[in-house]
Amino acid sequence: MPSARPATVAAPGPGLLSPHLDGLGVTLHDGEGTLRLWSGHATSVELVIFDDTDLDWITDSAPLAPVGDGVWSVTTPLLRPGARYAVRVEGDHTTGSTFNPRTLLIEPYARGLVSAGYEDWRSVVVNGAFDWGGVSKPAVALDRTVIYEGHVKGMTKRHPLIPPALHGTYAGLAHPAMVDHLLTLGVTSVQLLPVHAFASEPRLLQLGLTNYWGYNTLNFFTPHAGYASAVNRREGPEAVLREFKGMVKLLHEAGLEVILDVVYNHTAEEGLGGPRTSFRGIDNRNYYRQQEDGAYIDVTGCGNSLNTSTDAAARVVLDSLRYWANEVQIDGFRFDLAATLGRDAQHTFDPEHPLLTAVIDDPALAGVKMIAEPWDVGMGGWQTGNFGDGWHEWNDRYRDRVRNFWLSDVDYARRASTSPVGIGGFANRLAGSANTFSAERGPLASINFVTAHDGFTLRDLVSYDVKHNMGNGEHNRDGADTNRSFNHGAEGPTDDPAILATRRKAMRNLMGTLLLSAGIPMITAGDEFARTQRGNNNTYCHDSALTWLTWDHAPWQEDLRAHVAQLIRARQANPALRPSRFAHEELRVPNSSVMDWYDRNGNTMSGENWTSPEHRTLQYVATSTPEHEKLNRILLMVHGNEHPTSVVLPVIEGVRHYVSLWSSAEEAPLQERATLSPGDVVELVGTSMHLFRAE
């Protein structure tokens, strides 16, 4: 290997957007390719080329030369489309460095990967040419966005109308049968669990399990080959990438956005002693957060944390986003443990971190939806509401309050004959979480959710009081212990018709709240027809029928799906339900909803009614202030205890009648729309909701 030392050894480059960091990875031109790689502590770097079929046979090699600021480069005809390659890096053996010139490493910007065995990978030069046929991104407006979070394999593995050869694949997700389900439901944006190339942890493999969710990334630029159809896997990484782009193209043609759940906070190299597959062998000291003695600073719970306080580590994240957003036409990203990405050199979260700022300000990412999971497990890791303008955040406060109101509060009331709290906190979440997000960011900063991939499904949330994770190999210690769930009288499956009916209504209330709240709603795939994971709230390690969606549904499940579709239609048809700004008491704010609150007698809510556990019934009136749509006003009744009640429709200036749009009390959605007048009485069953349009 060459022995030259770069001009800059210990320090990262002169800025996140420094031109010295441009063009990293392989660039093809004039019948050859240029590889640029960053390592601030390397003393030599070598490109190694392998036989196309025998990945242990080294056919050629070439040294990379230092070109300044930690960048190494080589231009050679060896880098042709389809070439299998790796890099080997030598460096100073100081504290925190883990160089080994014999280790074959994944090049961080590789567009393709092939496996040469356990923890043994080869990068592949990929020609990414693709005919998009003039298909452009749907560019769904934020206020109309309804996210559907799902797993590529899980959504399609058992779909009876998708050909078996496409089960569990990118192509299967874009099959007309799946597209029809999504369009009929009414969602606008499909958010995919991780599709960057990933590997299963050795610990899971020893237990006979696998990393099903994919939060264990090998490389930030390569689509996971395991989700491609068999024919394209055999053809190789270029075919896998074509299938992925074909999926995006077909979903875009149908008007559906594609959002990727991206894991930039840690990698599959895990903690010290874990695999050395890429960054660890290239420049461990700069790519991962460490203490002075070389021990990792782990704020992710996964053993290692990407050190985005260095320019090169932050830049690989930014370049990955640019690649997926532009060359693969992805519409948005959900950042796993995003607080980690915003930690500075002292490992403290900074909402103005250069990477977080660049993600929003980069012209190459204009119009791309950026969603933060606004926490990690380190000190000061919970940052809900604290990200900057342009970011949207998973709102765990919303999730917890909604679950409390419809589930754990009801459970408490059964035991204590009174609810623990009133309705005020719930109303705040319904109206857009103004106590969490600033007026400048508005209600659309909030990604509202009741369930997600991580935790109970909707059905399990109303069917189990505690988690049942024995199948995970950790003696039921893994997964959240506080779920705010309520089994309604029996743990798990039951034949009791009363319990089953109450559970179904609880699911309708949870879905109704989610889809009628201000903010951007996110539905977990399968919740629309009440799938179950049998009480397991941490199914990350199960690639089986436990996690795959089933498509053979009982009539009551189809009724729930119809409720969800009706709710989404109501949301899209009524701009008062989807404001993009918070209203102001004295000023007219365009695209806000002016909110008025009434009690069950049709009178303005008093302070006592907001806070008293005895008063858990309200009427929420929202009036739009649209710029481009017609004036719209809705009334939503919410009744939060199990005793039936009578509610008087309020007398409001300009309102002549109320048209019923949806009720959670009905097993199947009502098709006939009743019209009522101000002052009329509506009978509400226990724990229910009723939506009206005021005309």
Side-chain angles (χ1 to χ4, degrees):
M1 297 178 67
S3 58
R5 183 183 296 273
T8 300
V9 175
L16 172 59
L17 298 179
S18 166
H20 294 286
L21 294 175
D22 289 347
L24 295 178
V26 173
T27 304
L28 296 173
H29 52 88
D30 302 324
E32 57 187 5
T34 295
L35 169 62
R36 284 166 55 87
L37 179 140
W38 186 91
S39 175
H41 289 98
T43 56
S44 63
V45 181
E46 183 181 34
L47 167 67
V48 183
I49 303 294
F50 298 87
D51 181 75
D52 289 347
T53 56
D54 185 347
L55 297 178
D56 289 323
W57 181 10
I58 296 176
T59 60
D60 219 325
S61 65
L64 277 70
V67 295
D69 293 302
V71 177
W72 298 73
S73 180
V74 64
T75 297
T76 171
L78 297 173
L79 290 170
R80 54 173 175 76
R84 272 66 170 155
Y85 70 102
V87 293
R88 296 197 287 208
V89 183
E90 175 63 301
D92 292 332
H93 292 273
T94 56
T95 302
S97 296
T98 55
F99 292 108
N100 186 329
R102 294 181 299 276
T103 304
L104 297 166
L105 301 169
I106 296 169
E107 188 265 298
Y109 283 69
R111 302 314 200 241
L113 289 178
V114 289
S115 175
Y118 177 65
E119 295 181 4
D120 194 11
W121 301 87
R122 305 289 179 263
S123 303
V124 180
V125 179
V126 169
N127 182 346
F130 183 80
D131 182 8
W132 290 98
V135 176
S136 58
K137 295 182 179 182
V140 177
L142 288 168
D143 68 306
R144 291 185 174 273
T145 300
V146 179
I147 297 172
Y148 187 83
E149 186 205 37
H151 189 283
V152 170
K153 183 174 184 178
M155 284 190 282
T156 63
K157 175 65 176 173
R158 293 183 130 186
H159 201 300
L161 300 181
I162 295 176
L166 301 184
H167 280 169
T169 68
Y170 301 123
L173 183 58
H175 187 274
M178 194 67 206
V179 170
D180 179 68
H181 173 73
L182 297 169
L183 294 179
T184 301
L185 191 63
V187 299
T188 66
S189 310
V190 182
Q191 181 173 299
L192 302 178
L193 267 66
V195 295
H196 289 171
F198 64 86
S200 293
E201 297 88 328
R203 177 187 62 82
L204 290 177
L205 295 175
Q206 291 170 3
L207 292 171
L209 300 170
T210 185
N211 190 320
Y212 173 66
W213 287 349
Y215 291 88
N216 201 45
T217 308
L218 283 166
N219 172 270
F220 297 146
F221 292 83
T222 302
H224 186 63
Y227 297 152
S229 56
V231 62
N232 284 328
R233 291 200 305 272
R234 288 192 296 270
E235 189 175 336
E238 281 192 10
V240 170
L241 180 58
R242 283 198 304 272
E243 181 174 328
F244 191 100
K245 290 181 176 180
M247 172 195 72
V248 175
K249 179 180 178 180
L250 289 171
L251 291 174
H252 282 177
E253 283 183 337
L256 293 164
E257 293 183 318
V258 181
I259 298 172
L260 300 187
D261 192 333
V262 285
V263 188
Y264 296 119
N265 58 79
H266 76 286
T267 74
E269 292 183 301
E270 303 181 56
L272 288 176
R276 178 168 43 201
T277 53
S278 188
F279 292 133
R280 175 169 289 139
I282 293 172
D283 194 330
N284 185 61
R285 192 69 179 171
N286 273 309
Y287 277 111
Y288 294 122
R289 295 186 181 275
Q290 297 176 39
Q291 299 174 1
E292 290 301 318
D293 63 0
Y296 282 143
I297 296 172
D298 178 15
V299 298
T300 67
C302 300
N304 57 0
S305 303
L306 199 70
N307 187 8
T308 53
S309 69
T310 68
D311 297 329
R315 182 61 180 269
V316 74
V317 174
L318 189 64
D319 286 345
S320 172
L321 295 171
R322 289 168 165 176
Y323 169 73
W324 291 97
N326 295 295
E327 294 191 40
V328 193
Q329 291 290 289
I330 294 302
D331 303 277
F333 302 93
R334 178 267 187 189
F335 294 78
D336 182 63
L337 301 182
T340 298
L341 305 182
R343 290 183 179 270
D344 59 22
Q346 288 71 46
H347 318 296
T348 300
F349 176 78
D350 177 7
E352 301 300 321
H353 189 286
L355 175 58
L356 299 184
T357 301
V359 166
I360 299 302
D361 294 343
D362 189 345
L365 297 174
V368 177
K369 294 177 169 70
M370 301 297 182
I371 301 168
E373 182 184 38
W375 52 78
D376 62 20
V377 301
M379 291 292 291
W382 188 75
Q383 294 293 335
T384 304
N386 293 334
F387 278 67
D389 289 351
W391 283 96
H392 312 278
E393 300 176 40
W394 272 27
N395 190 347
D396 56 326
R397 290 182 173 183
Y398 176 94
R399 173 200 65 199
D400 293 349
R401 177 61 70 178
V402 172
R403 288 187 181 190
N404 280 347
F405 185 80
W406 291 116
L407 300 174
S408 55
D409 287 1
V410 176
D411 181 21
Y412 183 98
R414 284 192 184 184
R415 302 170 192 271
S417 299
T418 182
S419 298
V421 296
I423 203 167
F426 174 84
N428 180 278
R429 299 300 163 192
L430 190 69
S433 297
N435 62 344
T436 300
F437 299 100
S438 66
E440 291 75 21
R441 298 180 67 193
L444 296 179
S446 177
I447 303 295
N448 297 333
F449 67 107
V450 176
T451 67
H453 67 275
D454 186 3
F456 280 146
T457 66
L458 182 70
R459 182 173 176 179
D460 290 354
L461 197 61
V462 303
S463 304
Y464 294 90
D465 280 350
V466 296
K467 65 187 181 184
H468 296 265
N469 296 1
M470 291 303 295
N472 297 359
E474 298 186 44
H475 306 288
N476 210 41
R477 291 192 298 263
D478 65 304
D481 292 313
T482 303
N483 296 285
R484 295 174 167 84
S485 59
F486 179 32
N487 68 20
H488 293 87
E491 187 71 0
T494 180
D495 294 327
D496 188 311
I499 292 175
L500 292 173
T502 305
R503 287 176 178 177
R504 292 194 296 271
K505 179 156 58 69
M507 286 189 279
R508 296 193 293 270
N509 286 329
L510 291 164
M511 274 294 187
T513 303
L514 174 64
L515 291 166
L516 301 179
S517 294
I520 298 175
M522 183 186 79
I523 299 169
T524 306
D527 276 354
E528 70 272 26
F529 44 72
R531 76 182 184 99
T532 179
Q533 293 177 162
R534 301 197 296 273
N536 191 321
N537 73 353
N538 191 31
T539 58
Y540 75 103
C541 55
H542 294 280
D543 184 359
S544 68
L546 181 68
T547 51
W548 304 334
L549 271 60
T550 57
W551 295 91
D552 183 15
H553 303 141
W556 71 267
Q557 292 176 290
E558 286 301 319
D559 288 342
L560 178 60
R561 187 201 58 76
H563 271 284
V564 174
Q566 188 177 77
L567 284 162
I568 294 175
R569 288 195 299 271
R571 180 182 184 84
Q572 301 293 28
N574 292 277
L577 290 168
R578 41 183 175 82
S580 57
R581 298 185 178 97
F582 291 123
H584 190 280
E585 290 185 2
E586 300 175 357
L587 304 174
R588 185 186 186 278
V589 179
N591 296 322
S592 66
S593 287
V594 177
M595 300 164 188
D596 297 294
W597 307 87
Y598 300 89
D599 62 20
R600 64 184 179 185
N601 297 314
N603 301 319
T604 300
M605 285 281 284
S606 66
E608 178 186 1
N609 284 353
W610 280 117
T611 58
S612 171
E614 302 300 320
H615 297 279
R616 284 172 59 90
T617 306
L618 65 73
Q619 300 184 75
Y620 164 46
V621 176
T623 304
S624 70
T625 55
E627 288 183 297
H628 308 295
E629 298 181 84
K630 292 182 179 179
L631 178 72
N632 173 244
R633 180 180 286 154
I634 62 93
L635 181 149
L636 179 63
M637 293 179 176
V638 177
H639 177 47
N641 67 51
E642 294 196 289
H643 303 291
T645 192
S646 300
V647 179
V648 179
L649 285 163
V651 177
I652 301 174
E653 183 178 356
V655 175
R656 299 178 60 184
H657 53 266
Y658 296 94
V659 178
S660 175
L661 300 181
W662 175 79
S663 169
S664 70
E666 309 300 331
E667 287 284 355
L670 292 177
Q671 300 304 314
E672 295 184 6
R673 296 185 174 182
T675 300
L676 302 175
S677 300
D680 285 352
V681 176
V682 177
E683 301 296 335
L684 294 182
V685 302
T687 54
S688 64
M689 307 175 73
H690 201 137
L691 175 69
F692 297 86
R693 183 175 64 248
E695 297 181 345

